[in-house]
Amino acid sequence: MYNPLIIEAPELQSHAQRYGWSSVTLFFWMLYIYLWLPFITLITWWIGLKIFHRQIIELHGYEGVIDKLGLYSVIVIILSIILIGWARIENYRFKDAARRVGRNNVSIAEVAKTFNQQESQLAQLMQKKSVIVYFSEQGQLTEIAEYNRHTRQI
Amino acid sequence: MWYQDLPDLVLGFTFYYPLFMAYLWMAGALYYYFSKERKEPLYGSPPLLPEYPHVSVLVPCFNEGDNAYETIGALLKLNYPNYDIIAINDGSSDNTAAIIDDIASKHPNVKAVQLASNQGKAMALTVGAILSSSEFLVCIDGDAVLDPNCITWMMRHFISGPRVGAVTGNPRIRNRSTMLGKLQVGEFSSVIGLIKRAQRVYGRVFTVSGVVAAFRKSALHRVGYWSTNMVTEDIDISWKLQTHYYDVRYEPNALCWILMPETLRGLWKQRVRWAQGGAEVLLKFKSIFLDIKKRRMWPIYTELVISIIWSYVIGLIFLLWAIGKFIELPPYLHINTIIPEWNGVLLAMTCLLQFAISLFIDSRYEPQNRRYFYWMIWYPMLFWMLSAATTIVGLPAALLKDRNKRATWVSPDRGIHQKKTAHV
């Protein structure tokens, strides 16, 4: 599925970018493999079955991972139950309620008042194609006016 | 004594916190997917709405001369029957003013708004809201390309009830020339996408995506529009709306194609700004704990506080670990290894699982993305390191900044394909 919006032009990279990112990728892959090290060790032990038997069975080497895996699973399950349980309860309680918000759309008069504009003037400006807005030094909105794009000077 | 266990507890916290957050996101995202997303039609075939209220699309542009034609051009082709476009030039120093004038003169549903001086995105959006006659505003960045069906997907939330104050869309990254671009493609689906879904399951979101978000104008009016003194106006408006009891929804089918920085410096600056924005919100909204009615924001706030503490603790641990390689430290400060034994395997498995789940969920939107994923299984590790580093820098920036100062900022680079024409 071709998407014309996607821009993929790796050839635009400089050599520094290319090699730099290759090194970062390499570093993180090494780090990631490092994380698996105990497992890799386990596999190599298993290949030498005798040592595997000694390490894992006789010296209870498997207990570390069983313990951790058990603890992890319990915590993950508890967290998930809390989140999803909460979501279901709240959904049930509030599915049709809009307790604390108003229902009315904001009027032009209210907007005009907030920004110190004349209501009728703001209503007119809303219909214009080109509008210019001026601000004070302090960043307060001072004036809104229509402008003609051919004579505009900013 | 209990404090003798303290180093172990601290190490445990630094290790388990990101790990269990990852599982919480995964669980939430899967629940969201199976309870909502899976039953939806694909993003190209949006549902029929009972009504199509008028919508204004606000496009604040600051020095967007390179992108404005493309952005507004895409907006002219939206599959929504009732909308206009308000392009706001935020006092640009390039040819943005002339471009939006040109587009407005050719298309009846485009309005050109010129700010006489640069006021920042928050003020540009506020002016757009003032000058719009619509109750619904879709706000996108001046360099983003909206999917033709985006508005319909967003509007169905507003139609569902007056409680919905904002809807955030699903940003998709366009530029993938460098590894950094590809990494962010993975990040947006495997980290940010999962977080948004999980937060929606919980019922409150940390932030809308500033690049594509829709708002109910009466809700904005009630909370005082966008704040002009916050570095991330999107995080701030999300908090303002939610602390005024509005709902902020996430709509994964509302796609928006965006450009992200492809240089380290650009990415770093952007992420520090995000971290600073988070910290600013923390300082601004601490009073939510005094109001029981705002209790649903408490966990989001607390999680943010924990993530900041975590960032500093992990920074300290790395520092002690590195110092320990050169100098003999007292035993209670000695960090033996950063990732202990079997925990490492479980961490690696977590990364794998996180990508498997996001691949599963995200393939609805871009099935071809899987080819990027194979190269970045390790990315969640970099994500946590990057967020720790940016938080360490962002918090002091938030604490020390002048609260009255208008926040204006320049977008970072938008990918190496634009370098030749990029603005300073």
Side-chain angles (χ1 to χ4, degrees):
Chain A
M1 201 164 65
Y2 171 72
N3 183 340
L5 287 171
I6 305 287
I7 302 153
E8 195 166 358
E11 66 280 3
L12 293 176
Q13 293 178 99
S14 66
H15 282 296
Q17 273 174 320
R18 206 173 290 224
Y19 294 122
W21 281 114
S22 304
S23 326
V24 172
T25 312
L26 188 69
F27 170 78
F28 274 98
W29 266 109
M30 307 263 283
L31 193 64
Y32 186 74
I33 291 164
Y34 166 73
L35 296 179
W36 284 101
L37 216 56
F39 185 71
I40 295 165
T41 316
L42 191 69
I43 297 293
T44 40
W45 278 340
W46 182 66
I47 292 164
L49 246 176
K50 222 172 166 180
I51 314 170
F52 173 81
H53 191 265
R54 179 165 164 70
Q55 287 290 343
I56 300 301
I57 311 296
E58 289 172 28
L59 295 176
H60 299 274
Y62 62 91
E63 280 179 357
V65 74
I66 298 288
D67 277 1
K68 290 258 158 36
L69 214 54
L71 180 71
Y72 272 48
S73 315
V74 170
I75 296 175
V76 168
I77 290 167
I78 292 173
L79 283 174
S80 312
I81 290 175
I82 292 174
L83 176 71
I84 292 159
W86 162 271
R88 296 205 81 120
I89 292 167
E90 291 291 297
N91 195 337
Y92 177 74
R93 279 176 67 202
F94 297 112
K95 61 181 175 193
D96 301 314
R99 292 195 306 179
R100 295 182 180 135
V101 297
R103 284 177 173 273
N104 298 331
N105 288 2
V106 63
S107 67
I108 298 175
E110 288 171 284
V111 177
K113 194 174 163 225
T114 305
F115 295 96
N116 297 321
Q117 302 295 314
Q118 296 292 328
E119 181 190 347
S120 55
Q121 195 197 359
L122 183 61
Q124 277 177 12
L125 285 167
M126 281 177 172
Q127 308 308 320
K128 301 293 180 199
K129 285 285 285 176
S130 325
V131 173
I132 185 160
V133 185
Y134 296 94
F135 297 87
S136 67
E137 285 286 304
Q138 292 76 36
Q140 298 296 318
L141 194 158
T142 50
E143 190 196 346
I144 310 177
E146 186 188 9
Y147 75 89
N148 181 328
R149 77 187 190 97
H150 299 294
T151 55
R152 176 173 57 85
Q153 294 274 315
I154 294 182
Chain B
M1 285 299 176
W2 65 272
Y3 57 80
Q4 286 172 327
D5 293 336
L6 205 59
D8 281 345
L9 284 175
V10 171
L11 270 177
F13 162 68
T14 48
F15 182 77
Y16 288 111
Y17 166 70
L19 200 74
F20 289 122
M21 283 314 291
Y23 280 108
L24 202 57
W25 298 336
M26 285 188 251
L30 279 176
Y31 179 76
Y32 183 92
Y33 178 78
F34 284 110
S35 63
K36 293 196 171 104
E37 207 167 351
R38 192 174 60 128
K39 300 166 195 155
E40 306 276 16
L42 282 175
Y43 68 91
S45 7
L48 278 176
L49 302 183
E51 51 174 330
Y52 290 85
H54 192 265
V55 171
S56 287
V57 184
L58 309 185
V59 195
C61 303
F62 177 62
N63 289 347
E64 295 291 2
D66 288 339
N67 304 304
Y69 275 119
E70 187 180 29
T71 298
I72 302 173
L75 293 178
L76 291 165
K77 296 181 206 143
L78 297 180
N79 295 335
Y80 190 83
N82 198 9
Y83 73 102
D84 64 1
I85 300 161
I86 303 181
I88 307 132
N89 167 36
D90 184 13
S92 301
S93 53
D94 68 350
N95 58 346
T96 305
I99 292 176
I100 68 169
D101 268 347
D102 179 49
I103 301 172
S105 68
K106 288 177 184 152
H107 300 279
N109 63 339
V110 180
K111 182 192 192 88
V113 177
Q114 309 284 354
L115 305 195
S117 49
N118 177 228
Q119 297 295 327
K121 187 177 166 190
M123 185 45 98
L125 286 171
T126 303
V127 168
I130 296 171
L131 289 167
S132 158
S133 48
S134 308
E135 170 66 3
F136 301 101
L137 310 169
V138 172
C139 306
I140 70 162
D141 280 359
D143 59 349
V145 176
L146 211 56
D147 180 79
N149 298 305
C150 185
I151 297 188
T152 313
W153 282 108
M154 289 175 134
M155 281 311 293
R156 73 172 176 156
H157 292 278
F158 290 116
I159 290 170
S160 74
R163 213 191 135 102
V164 180
V167 180
T168 182
N170 184 355
R172 316 292 308 180
I173 294 171
R174 293 176 60 192
N175 50 329
R176 305 163 180 190
S177 302
T178 65
M179 187 69 194
L180 204 54
K182 293 184 174 77
L183 283 178
Q184 291 177 90
V185 174
E187 176 189 20
F188 268 64
S189 53
S190 78
V191 185
I192 297 177
L194 294 191
I195 294 175
K196 283 266 179 348
R197 286 179 179 86
Q199 289 181 342
R200 233 358 274 172
V201 167
Y202 164 67
R204 291 287 181 272
V205 301
F206 173 65
T207 181
V208 297
S209 300
V211 66
V212 54
F215 298 91
R216 184 186 293 276
K217 194 168 158 188
S218 49
L220 288 173
H221 187 79
R222 198 164 157 209
V223 304
Y225 300 88
W226 289 269
S227 307
T228 53
N229 60 345
M230 306 290 276
V231 291
T232 48
E233 85 299 328
D234 47 358
I235 305 181
D236 178 70
I237 195 74
S238 315
W239 281 72
K240 275 164 66 165
L241 288 169
Q242 292 179 112
T243 51
H244 283 78
Y245 319 112
Y246 286 101
D247 218 7
V248 176
R249 299 273 175 89
Y250 171 59
E251 178 49 72
N253 288 296
L255 304 191
C256 181
W257 298 91
I258 65 167
L259 296 171
M260 288 295 276
E262 272 192 296
T263 62
L264 263 185
R265 177 203 290 251
L267 184 73
W268 172 257
K269 277 170 87 171
Q270 181 191 50
R271 296 303 164 95
V272 168
R273 193 173 66 79
W274 290 2
Q276 183 185 342
E280 283 184 16
V281 156
L282 209 67
L283 299 169
K284 181 173 171 181
F285 289 94
K286 44 187 186 299
S287 63
I288 57 164
F289 286 96
L290 301 174
D291 187 350
I292 187 82
K293 285 190 295 208
K294 297 187 167 71
R295 63 189 176 279
R296 286 187 77 182
M297 288 309 279
W298 294 355
I300 302 273
Y301 191 102
T302 312
E303 202 272 312
L304 184 58
V305 173
I306 294 174
S307 75
I308 290 177
I309 297 172
W310 178 83
S311 299
Y312 279 92
V313 172
I314 194 101
L316 191 70
I317 287 177
F318 264 105
L319 196 68
L320 287 175
W321 174 73
I323 294 173
K325 296 276 165 225
F326 301 101
I327 304 167
E328 187 124 346
L329 289 169
Y332 61 93
L333 287 180
H334 181 73
I335 308 290
N336 204 10
T337 167
I338 302 254
I339 300 159
E341 301 165 354
W342 284 107
N343 283 324
V345 177
L346 295 169
L347 191 63
M349 274 169 56
T350 308
C351 288
L352 207 60
L353 204 60
Q354 193 171 340
F355 270 101
I357 288 174
S358 55
L359 196 64
F360 169 65
I361 294 176
D362 204 70
S363 57
R364 281 171 70 86
Y365 308 104
E366 277 183 275
Q368 70 277 31
N369 266 4
R370 69 189 68 216
R371 67 199 163 101
Y372 299 123
F373 281 42
Y374 298 123
W375 295 103
M376 53 179 75
I377 300 294
W378 44 267
Y379 184 74
M381 293 191 286
L382 179 65
F383 170 79
W384 286 99
M385 288 182 200
L386 187 66
S387 38
T390 52
T391 305
I392 291 170
V393 177
L395 180 68
L399 288 168
L400 298 173
K401 83 161 204 167
D402 176 2
R403 301 276 157 76
N404 299 316
K405 200 174 155 224
R406 176 66 49 97
T408 57
W409 47 276
V410 183
S411 296
D413 70 283
R414 278 75 169 267
I416 56 169
H417 62 286
Q418 286 199 344
K419 238 182 185 164
K420 286 183 188 117
T421 51
H423 312 287
V424 184

